[in-house]
Amino acid sequence: MTIKLCTETFGMQEPDTLKTYIDNQGYQAWKDIINNQTPKSKVIEKIKDSGLRGKGGAGFLTGLKWSFIPLIDGQKYLVCNSDESEPGTCKDRDILRYNPHAIIEGMLIASYAIGASVGYNYLRGEFMDEQWKIFKQALSDAYKERLIGKNILSSNVTINLHALIGAGAYIVGEETAMLESIEGKRGMPRIKPPFPAIKGLYGKPTIINNTETLASIPKIMLNKSGWYKSLGIDNSEGVKMFCMSGHINNPGNFEVPLGIPFSELLNMAGGILNGKKIKAVIPGGSSVPVVKGDIMMQVNMDYDSISEAGSMLGSGGVIVMDESACMVSVLHRISRFYYSESCGQCTPCREGTGWLYKILTNIVSGHGTQNDLHQLERIATQIEGHCICALGDAAAMPVRSFLKNFWTEFEYYVDKKESMVS
Amino acid sequence: MSQEFKISKELASLIDNVVKKFPSNRKRSAVIESLLILQHDNHGYVTKDIIKALSNYLSVSEIDIYEVATFYTMINVAPVGKNVIAVCNNVSCMLRGSDEILTHIEQKLKIKVGESTSDNKFYLKDEIECLAACNGGPMMQINHKNYENLTLERVDKILEKFDDN
Amino acid sequence: MKVFIDNKEYNAKPDETIIELCDKIGVHIPRFCYHKHLSIVASCRMCLVDIEGVKYAQPACSTPLREDMRISTKSEKTKSAQKNSMEFLLINHPLDCPICDQGGECELQDVSLEHGDDHSKYMQFKRVVVDKDISPLISTDMTRCIHCSRCVRFGEEISNVKELGLLNRGEDMKIDVFIESGVTSELSGNMIDLCPVGALNNKPYRYKARTWDLKQICGISPHDCIGSNINYHTYNNKIVRAVPFENLAINQTWISDRDRFGYEGIYSNDRLDKTLIRENGKLVELDFDSVSSEVNNLIISNIKKHGRKEIGCLISGQSTSEELFLFQKIFKGLEISNIDHRTKERDFSYQKSFPIMPSLGCNIDDLHLYKNIILIGVNVKTEYPILSVRLNNATKGNSKIYSFNFSSLDENFPLYYKKVIDDNNIEPLLNTNDLGLDNGETLIILGPLISRLPNQSNILKKVHDFSLLIDAKVGFLAEFCNSTSGWLLGNLPHRNLGGSTSNIIGKNSYEMITEKLSTYIMYNLEPESDFFDKTLVEVALKSSECNIFFTSYITPMMEKYADIIIPITTFAETDGSYINIEGRYQVFQPVVQPSKDIHEGWSILNNISILNNFGDYTIDTIRNELEESLKKIDFSLSAIDIDSIDASNMVEDNVIDKFTRDTYDTDMIVRRSESLNKVSLSKHKPSIKNITNEPKNI
Ligand SMILES: Cc1cc2nc3c(=O)[nH]c(=O)nc-3n(C[C@H](O)[C@H](O)[C@H](O)COP(=O)(O)O)c2cc1C
Ligand code: SF4
Ligand code: FES
């Protein structure tokens, strides 16, 4: 059971063109707003009612976030977060290349609702060759139709949208680091509060939303109130794109109602590779805790169920591992990532991620000890909750959950100096 | 060795287009994209002279630009081979066998990650980030172009294509 | 707002952070990245504290207090959070304290003793960072860096010249420069103080002493009229280092590099340590016991021989107020009216209507209250680095700064308007329409370059008229640290102690030199560099009959032309006081003892005073009399009020060779600082742009 929101044009002929988008009711919601001069508060109200939760990782209620924008006049900004770099996540990339106009329309509606006259879509540097070009083309087509720019459709509304490109830094996906990056600086997260809605880009009120979040907006606006909500379940309203990767037969993006059983999702992705047994799942991008396969098979894909299973829905990057996966090596690889991506400002993250990685390197090269395992546990606990942004936690959570769920496998590795699965 | 670098008219107009995206007193915002533009024009890396020239052009201090250039992994401050190969070996790709792909390329090109081939044709980037193509793993980027669902044979074929140019 | 720290109730101001309150009430919280004059980054995580009801310990430096917040600075949770941060910091920190100059005053060492664990569980390799030569004043051991970023923020926020940056990221992050020797800011030494570990060190001080062997004595800057407070550190009766002494009204927690390294000049090779007298054309040593009578005899006999009008008395504005007091006491007492301290000037037509003393016109701490600050003939960045901190701060508020100079000079704060002017024609600069002044108070500040011009009177008049037109105050920055006392205490040809007008108007310094007198008495002056024109001084000294020098250094001209040269103490070896440009009177004690045959300048002058029955003073009685005379001064007269200038007295000469005052050439002592000379040599024009608002006119 898939629902086509962000993925509507996927698989069509020339999915990224303005024509295809318009043929599928594209820009209708935006034109309605412009023509009816819909009050901003009404737009925000509708998004609030829909229950839409941010798809970037934290699952924060989008309408609520928008309502934090001060009502006073003055420059405000909208930022679309297309930095997609959480390992296991590859949904925004497909929206960018197959349905760019949905993002643009979503950005327009969001800008309108919060009173921003300028919006930026920040794409990660690695999207330079394909997604960036497509998105820029889409922007320029929409400009030509006067859907963006000065005096949009002769309405006196002015909203300019620009495409920006990053240059390789996972941390820039963190919203305040992204603002720093847009300001032309190192991508180092800021201290919160003040939150971006109060003091964001160039010190002005700013809303940052994920690509998928914004691409969902047009359809929500176009449909009746209650429609989006009805697709999902309580507290996990609507739909979500899940990026299925790892040991499965049919990796891909699946846009499904929130709350569907994981097993069903796994089926859609063709089941486990070569009919092997499922061992573990990281359900929301590499920074969330790992869950044992058999437990995961009982879990539904919604915020609460996954949280009960001890993990998080996160960005929707579902990494599936079968019995051949060596948990020590997987954790080693994950911790290498956070070690290399720490921006370096917070002491626990800068020094701690390196320490974790070095210990794990020791272990996989056969020099680990039992004590090392306890050290890993201890260091992770010391990092957790003690940093400016969540990268520190993102580095700590996998370590703690891998150890907790697969302790014997780690013990085996340090005792036998080799992996339990090889 | 260092001849003073001048930003050419063509490059300047590209940079001007970047500057235009931002409020008029926020030229610094253009630093990252400008570095990518200048790097593209200079065999894939920026020199201190280039940074100096950009510093003058945007009225941003050299050290501010240097900070940015060293923070972001896609900006190189040292020479690299002509074609940049980045093999994703983060979790999802690793589960699909990216380590084998990487080892294969290392052996084939006789270099390790982080090195360029002696003929400077290839630079094998130490790609630690996930390249957001998890459903196409194992995958790699060559000059930012994606090659997905790789097998050893496909890799050989793809690399061959770079023989002609 | 009521809050509780360690179960005690306190009243907190809105927006006050936990660390601010704790610092105020004396509850110690360890910190590395936090500094009260820098922005908050909350990155070192050393200040984590336990807040009731909050799951994780929070940084005290960035967490604002809330009503009824309860903070435990000593609970288990606080302690373990801090211990953990410490452990992380020490992972990559070398344990080389025994060979580190910071040892004994290292915040890391202190904090780790108090909050750290006794041993580390870290067994991996430590990071090593290759060092670069960043400046002649700062040595680096970057492997010790703990990435608190204080030095970087100092460049971004205080000196406003960003020279150090944070390169790379994560564990590879390092502090570095863009180019070798790239640190050239006039305030760079402050980064040494800011660095909580031994990564940035005082290069000249390197390995000179261990901190626990040092004695500390506070002094006042002898190098500019701002009056920064400085702590001198001595070892075996020798100054080995200078650091700021916090004075929030003046220098806050900063000092300029000139103030930090200038003291080296007192150990120069040409320091004079014996009295020399000329006998048969040769300079020979004179026993100290006969110095005063010998000098006095020379003075008295020359008065008798040529008359009082043939005696010229010149004293430097770098002398202490006590010296300046006794100097005029003696010579005015001897009814000599050729007295002056303004040795760099040549046009004095303005003097009659000049205020009681040059004054900034406001407190340093109040500069930011002016909407418009118009700088004329001054490069604050190089001449008064400490003031640039204040002006930079003012621009972050509501102040606009305008700069007029004779050549294009960069400032390290944003200029709203910048123009190069011609000293012969300054009319165009005084065009209000062009300036775009904001409504609100305006302050015009004139630098000493103006006072050196051959037509300074004319310019003062025009600026005065202009100030009336735009309703602005006029302030001055002076040539020397104590030029103010030179004026107030009557070391002038036309005014006496306390500013009263003299009956007889004597010759000013220009007239004394150009009219070739028979006797010159020069106190604390270097004939080669402290006058408006070196060649004219040489002509004068050559043609005169008797030249008496009181000086700390012997120079070639002295060797050639002196009849007697008396060694005197420098600022560091004497009791003294200076009056800064705000009118703030600050006293100081000797930091070190001079060598055996050098005596305190004031005591030598006192001996001459005794010989002439002008009184026998102690440092206290001088100060009493001095303070008494200052009390009578009507400071409301300190506004400039020039009705007309006596144009007949104006000097016609255009031999201005330069329009800049070199930072490290401002006085005799600085000129002799070895380290600062190295900086002057290594200085290349920094290409860093600081002007955020493009200046309208250049
Ligand atoms: C280390 C880190 C990396 C992040 N990376 C991304 C990212 O790549 N894309 C994204 O949309 N959000 C990312 N986020 C979340 C953003 O900070 C932010 O919450 C999100 O963009 C908000 O959008 P939403 O409310 O629409 O989810 C990241 C957060 C952290 C702490
Ligand atoms: S937690 Fe890590 S990535 Fe996040 S701000 Fe701190 S150092 Fe940077
Ligand atoms: S002093 Fe608070 S985090 Fe550094």
Side-chain angles (χ1 to χ4, degrees), chain C residues 440-456:
Chain C
E441 289 203 58
T442 300
L443 177 67
I444 300 176
I445 300 178
L446 295 166
L449 281 182
I450 298 289
S451 70
R452 293 180 178 187
L453 294 175
N455 58 342
Q456 74 152 316

Side-chain angles (χ1 to χ4, degrees), chain A residues 38-53:
Chain A
T38 315
K40 294 172 187 173
S41 54
K42 272 239 168 100
V43 179
I44 297 186
E45 218 40 53
K46 189 154 181 190
I47 298 301
K48 259 190 182 166
D49 284 348
S50 75
L52 173 66
R53 294 176 67 156

Side-chain angles (χ1 to χ4, degrees), chain A residues 171 189 341-346 349-350 387-392:
Chain A
I171 190 60
E341 297 301 331
S342 163
C343 84
Q345 58 175 334
C346 311
C349 172
R350 178 185 65 241
C387 297
I388 289 173
C389 85
L391 190 141

Side-chain angles (χ1 to χ4, degrees), chain A residues 347, chain C residues 19 29-35 40-48 59-62 148 150 153:
Chain A
T347 305
Chain C
I19 214 167
I29 292 179
R31 82 284 307 269
F32 291 118
C33 64
Y34 174 77
H35 185 280
I40 292 165
V41 288
S43 62
C44 74
R45 303 276 136 175
M46 198 56 231
C47 66
L48 297 174
C61 66
S62 65
C148 69
R150 282 189 191 176
R153 281 176 285 146

Side-chain angles (χ1 to χ4, degrees), chain A residues 54-56 65 81 84-85 170 173-175 208-210 213 390:
Chain A
K55 314 291 188 192
K65 194 194 265 186
N81 187 342
E84 183 158 63
S85 354
Y170 162 71
E174 197 282 337
E175 53 186 14
I208 300 122
N209 272 129
N210 170 253
T213 313

Side-chain angles (χ1 to χ4, degrees), chain C residues 147-173:
Chain C
H147 309 97
C148 69
S149 81
R150 282 189 191 176
C151 55
V152 178
R153 281 176 285 146
F154 176 81
E156 285 171 348
E157 297 159 17
I158 308 294
S159 71
N160 211 25
V161 184
K162 186 167 167 183
E163 294 167 328
L164 291 181
L166 268 179
L167 303 188
N168 306 334
R169 71 179 185 216
E171 206 191 46
D172 294 334
M173 193 159 86

